[in-house]
Amino acid sequence: MTSEGIGVPREGRFGQWGGRFVPESLVPACMELEEAFNSAWEDADFHAEYETILAHYAGRPTPVYECGRLSHQLGIRVLLKREDLAHTGSHKINNVIGQALLTRRMGKRRMVAETGAGQHGVACATAAALFGLECTVYMGVIDMNRQALNVFRMKLLGAEVRAVESGAKTLKDAVNEALRDWVASVDYTHYCLGSVVGPHPFPTMVREFQRIIGTEARKQCNDILGGEDPDYVVACVGGGSNSAGTFAAFIDTDAKLVGVEAYGGAAISNGNPTVLHGMYSRVLSDANGQILEAHSISAGLDYPGVGPEHAWWGQIGRVDYVTAEDEEVLDAFVLLAKTEGILPALESAHALSWIVREAGKKVPKGSTVLLTLSGRGDKDVEQVSRLLAGEKDGGDFTNGALGGAGS
Ligand SMILES: *Cc1c(COP(=O)(O)O)cnc(C)c1O
């Protein structure tokens, strides 16, 4: 699997990363999806409908806002791409609208999804309601207990939530169960994966559905910066979809690209080359090759793997991957609240914390920095209050128990 030509994204390969490591029975489903996506992506009518729904329903384009007080304090110009203002409170809506459209285009009536903390499950249930599709969301029982409010949200939206009792009973196991369901029901079911992970075509397809973040932001930055691109483009990396969608539009510029992982979930920085969930990528594993659980204060970054394109960008040095620790993330959360009146998702606060750490150091004074604010932090306030009160990990609210983010 490592003999593929470096640098040629062929058959869903990014260098040696990516690919399609699935049971024989899923190969036709992946190929059907690949064909449906390719034909849709060349179809002007599909784009028109996708973009119309994103505009009228999801609230796009989201603004780019130049921070005043924060920029002054840090001595750099900080521009926020406001995905927190999109419907359901994060960038995840961009992907699920695209995949719901594809579900209908393939003549299927049902979507299955995995969810960790519940954010992708809620987004998927939202899109299913909008399109009149059946929706089943797989969720580990441990996550269901931690995220009871999001379980209720999904049910309100008409989705069925199935408890996953296997393995560690968390996100990784929910993906396995969703894949199993897909195998058994592929005639009428689409698997709506939540990030740029999994077998080809998911990493490429989800990046393209999220590319709208970067395309809009580049134009908006050009307008603000007098035709220039920002010096730095920074985003948090869980599975890697909001960052991939942002970076995709800046790959061919001189902008320095920075992906910020949670210290306890840093698959690029600390992961090993491994096959997981149908892809060959970097994954947190122990000396025996056992997949490890990822841990951070933000549930949306608690995936042990990362999208294969990030493994590639890291390998060729196009993107710098760095980590942020819980304490500095919390400081960044509070800083943005107090200086700009914006509560960021804890995931997004990871990206901000790197900027705060490096302003005037790696990021020279006067630089322009675009930060993708992937989601809003209202879901995290109870956990933040516990963290500020000194409880490690926010006590019971580890992983954003109050209706959290996460895949
Ligand atoms: C899910 C989520 C993430 C992490 O997912 P990516 O695929 O890495 O984008 C980041 N921020 C928010 C707000 C999320 O909900």
Side-chain angles (χ1 to χ4, degrees), residues 118-130:
Q119 190 82 339
H120 174 57
V122 168
C124 201
T126 299
L130 179 66

PDB file of all heavy atoms in Angstrom, residues 118-130:
ATOM      1  N   GLY A 118     -22.200  14.459  19.008  1.00  0.00           N
ATOM      2  CA  GLY A 118     -23.553  14.719  18.546  1.00  0.00           C
ATOM      3  C   GLY A 118     -23.700  15.798  17.504  1.00  0.00           C
ATOM      4  O   GLY A 118     -24.758  15.929  16.901  1.00  0.00           O
ATOM      5  N   GLN A 119     -22.666  16.583  17.279  1.00  0.00           N
ATOM      6  CA  GLN A 119     -22.814  17.722  16.366  1.00  0.00           C
ATOM      7  C   GLN A 119     -23.072  17.271  14.922  1.00  0.00           C
ATOM      8  O   GLN A 119     -23.951  17.802  14.260  1.00  0.00           O
ATOM      9  CB  GLN A 119     -21.559  18.604  16.442  1.00  0.00           C
ATOM     10  CG  GLN A 119     -21.703  19.918  15.719  1.00  0.00           C
ATOM     11  CD  GLN A 119     -22.425  20.996  16.520  1.00  0.00           C
ATOM     12  OE1 GLN A 119     -23.162  20.711  17.458  1.00  0.00           O
ATOM     13  NE2 GLN A 119     -22.226  22.229  16.132  1.00  0.00           N
ATOM     14  N   HIS A 120     -22.333  16.285  14.452  1.00  0.00           N
ATOM     15  CA  HIS A 120     -22.588  15.791  13.091  1.00  0.00           C
ATOM     16  C   HIS A 120     -23.933  15.064  13.033  1.00  0.00           C
ATOM     17  O   HIS A 120     -24.661  15.178  12.047  1.00  0.00           O
ATOM     18  CB  HIS A 120     -21.465  14.867  12.609  1.00  0.00           C
ATOM     19  CG  HIS A 120     -21.761  14.228  11.279  1.00  0.00           C
ATOM     20  ND1 HIS A 120     -22.033  14.967  10.141  1.00  0.00           N
ATOM     21  CD2 HIS A 120     -21.875  12.916  10.909  1.00  0.00           C
ATOM     22  CE1 HIS A 120     -22.276  14.133   9.125  1.00  0.00           C
ATOM     23  NE2 HIS A 120     -22.189  12.898   9.568  1.00  0.00           N
ATOM     24  N   GLY A 121     -24.273  14.337  14.090  1.00  0.00           N
ATOM     25  CA  GLY A 121     -25.571  13.659  14.118  1.00  0.00           C
ATOM     26  C   GLY A 121     -26.711  14.655  14.017  1.00  0.00           C
ATOM     27  O   GLY A 121     -27.683  14.438  13.269  1.00  0.00           O
ATOM     28  N   VAL A 122     -26.601  15.752  14.728  1.00  0.00           N
ATOM     29  CA  VAL A 122     -27.640  16.783  14.683  1.00  0.00           C
ATOM     30  C   VAL A 122     -27.693  17.423  13.296  1.00  0.00           C
ATOM     31  O   VAL A 122     -28.776  17.629  12.734  1.00  0.00           O
ATOM     32  CB  VAL A 122     -27.407  17.853  15.783  1.00  0.00           C
ATOM     33  CG1 VAL A 122     -28.304  19.066  15.558  1.00  0.00           C
ATOM     34  CG2 VAL A 122     -27.653  17.255  17.161  1.00  0.00           C
ATOM     35  N   ALA A 123     -26.537  17.698  12.721  1.00  0.00           N
ATOM     36  CA  ALA A 123     -26.516  18.300  11.379  1.00  0.00           C
ATOM     37  C   ALA A 123     -27.138  17.351  10.365  1.00  0.00           C
ATOM     38  O   ALA A 123     -27.929  17.763   9.503  1.00  0.00           O
ATOM     39  CB  ALA A 123     -25.073  18.648  10.979  1.00  0.00           C
ATOM     40  N   CYS A 124     -26.813  16.078  10.474  1.00  0.00           N
ATOM     41  CA  CYS A 124     -27.329  15.085   9.535  1.00  0.00           C
ATOM     42  C   CYS A 124     -28.845  14.936   9.697  1.00  0.00           C
ATOM     43  O   CYS A 124     -29.591  14.863   8.710  1.00  0.00           O
ATOM     44  CB  CYS A 124     -26.620  13.758   9.810  1.00  0.00           C
ATOM     45  SG  CYS A 124     -26.677  12.663   8.420  1.00  0.00           S
ATOM     46  N   ALA A 125     -29.306  14.898  10.937  1.00  0.00           N
ATOM     47  CA  ALA A 125     -30.747  14.811  11.193  1.00  0.00           C
ATOM     48  C   ALA A 125     -31.461  16.049  10.642  1.00  0.00           C
ATOM     49  O   ALA A 125     -32.585  15.966  10.135  1.00  0.00           O
ATOM     50  CB  ALA A 125     -31.002  14.668  12.698  1.00  0.00           C
ATOM     51  N   THR A 126     -30.805  17.188  10.720  1.00  0.00           N
ATOM     52  CA  THR A 126     -31.350  18.438  10.187  1.00  0.00           C
ATOM     53  C   THR A 126     -31.537  18.339   8.673  1.00  0.00           C
ATOM     54  O   THR A 126     -32.612  18.645   8.136  1.00  0.00           O
ATOM     55  CB  THR A 126     -30.394  19.610  10.516  1.00  0.00           C
ATOM     56  OG1 THR A 126     -30.277  19.724  11.936  1.00  0.00           O
ATOM     57  CG2 THR A 126     -30.885  20.925   9.927  1.00  0.00           C
ATOM     58  N   ALA A 127     -30.482  17.885   7.988  1.00  0.00           N
ATOM     59  CA  ALA A 127     -30.555  17.761   6.526  1.00  0.00           C
ATOM     60  C   ALA A 127     -31.589  16.719   6.124  1.00  0.00           C
ATOM     61  O   ALA A 127     -32.306  16.890   5.129  1.00  0.00           O
ATOM     62  CB  ALA A 127     -29.180  17.405   5.958  1.00  0.00           C
ATOM     63  N   ALA A 128     -31.682  15.645   6.890  1.00  0.00           N
ATOM     64  CA  ALA A 128     -32.660  14.596   6.587  1.00  0.00           C
ATOM     65  C   ALA A 128     -34.075  15.151   6.702  1.00  0.00           C
ATOM     66  O   ALA A 128     -34.942  14.874   5.861  1.00  0.00           O
ATOM     67  CB  ALA A 128     -32.469  13.400   7.521  1.00  0.00           C
ATOM     68  N   ALA A 129     -34.322  15.941   7.739  1.00  0.00           N
ATOM     69  CA  ALA A 129     -35.645  16.555   7.904  1.00  0.00           C
ATOM     70  C   ALA A 129     -35.947  17.474   6.719  1.00  0.00           C
ATOM     71  O   ALA A 129     -37.039  17.443   6.144  1.00  0.00           O
ATOM     72  CB  ALA A 129     -35.699  17.337   9.218  1.00  0.00           C
ATOM     73  N   LEU A 130     -34.962  18.252   6.333  1.00  0.00           N
ATOM     74  CA  LEU A 130     -35.140  19.201   5.226  1.00  0.00           C
ATOM     75  C   LEU A 130     -35.503  18.494   3.922  1.00  0.00           C
ATOM     76  O   LEU A 130     -36.303  18.994   3.132  1.00  0.00           O
ATOM     77  CB  LEU A 130     -33.848  20.013   5.048  1.00  0.00           C
ATOM     78  CG  LEU A 130     -33.832  21.047   3.922  1.00  0.00           C
ATOM     79  CD1 LEU A 130     -34.823  22.170   4.203  1.00  0.00           C
ATOM     80  CD2 LEU A 130     -32.425  21.616   3.750  1.00  0.00           C
TER      81      LEU A 130
END
